Amino acid sequence: DAGVIQSPRHEVTEMGQEVTLRCKPISGHDYLFWYRQTMMRGLELLIYFNNNVPIDDSGMPEDRFSAKMPNASFSTLKIQPSEPRDSAVYFCASSFGRGNQPQHFGDGTRLSIL
Amino acid sequence: GNSVTQMEGPVTLSEEAFLTINCTYTATGYPSLFWYVQYPGEGLQLLLKATKADDKGSNKGFEATYRKETTSFHLEKGSVQVSDSAVYFCALTSRQAGTALIFGKGTTLSVSS
């Protein structure tokens, strides 16, 4: 079974540039989550979708961040303009159903903003 | 609100030693509890879960018991291996909190031979 696929694995760019992170969830999963991981703050939920509809975006840090899910097999997280403090590992996860169903994580995108 | 507290790391053990990583939680209602493991350069993987009080989750020699009276979900393994070196995250979900996982800050385990 293919897991959650994220691209790119690594991204290095200069501040002010637009960054787009991509995620393909596991087929059949109806929930998709975006997380950010840093040493200082640990794992933070940014936003999650159910059936392609954003349900909770209260974790999105600023208007510079936006996320879309145009269909059940693809989601993007965009940062525009990027800043050095956005440097982190960004994870996408998907799950089927609510509550006690486990989330399956991708390998993450390591983002460095210079 | 809902939260998860894990013991601070790093935890450094010799191979075949006994492992305990403490986890306590605060939640409204009846949460489901999870342990995830993150190996270097990888995403998180579900290690085990428990969905109601007194349930024991187990996998790969790891165990954790859902203790409602002490609001705890401590992770244990009787004999660790070098390959167990990773970061371990305790997490919860609850109907009241929605579907999202609430994670502890993670505990780094380093096992030497």
Side-chain angles (χ1 to χ4, degrees), chain A residues 51-72:
Chain A
N51 291 323
N52 314 336
V53 176
I55 301 301
D56 183 355
D57 66 354
S58 59
M60 296 285 263
E62 300 171 34
D63 291 346
R64 299 184 296 106
F65 285 69
S66 63
K68 294 182 179 179
M69 192 165 185
N71 57 63

Side-chain angles (χ1 to χ4, degrees), chain B residues 67-86:
Chain B
R67 302 283 189 204
K68 189 167 175 61
E69 64 276 13
T70 54
T71 62
S72 66
F73 193 54
H74 305 320
L75 182 68
E76 296 182 336
K77 186 174 186 182
S79 176
V80 293
Q81 305 300 311
V82 172
S83 57
D84 293 327
S85 298

Side-chain angles (χ1 to χ4, degrees), chain A residues 9 37 45 91 99-100 103 106, chain B residues 32 36 38 41 43 46 49 93 100:
Chain A
R9 286 298 311 276
Q37 185 179 36
L45 175 69
F91 288 103
N100 62 14
Q103 295 180 19
Chain B
S32 294
Y36 281 79
Q38 184 179 28
L46 178 67
K49 72 174 187 178
T93 64

Side-chain angles (χ1 to χ4, degrees), chain A residues 4 22 32 38-39 68 73 93 96 110:
Chain A
V4 175
R22 296 173 176 81
L32 183 139
T38 61
M39 290 294 292
K68 294 182 179 179
S73 59
F96 176 72
R110 183 172 295 276

Side-chain angles (χ1 to χ4, degrees), chain A residues 93-112:
Chain A
S94 69
S95 69
F96 176 72
R98 292 181 61 92
N100 62 14
Q101 299 306 310
Q103 295 180 19
H104 299 260
F105 283 74
D107 286 338
T109 294
R110 183 172 295 276
L111 178 63
S112 297

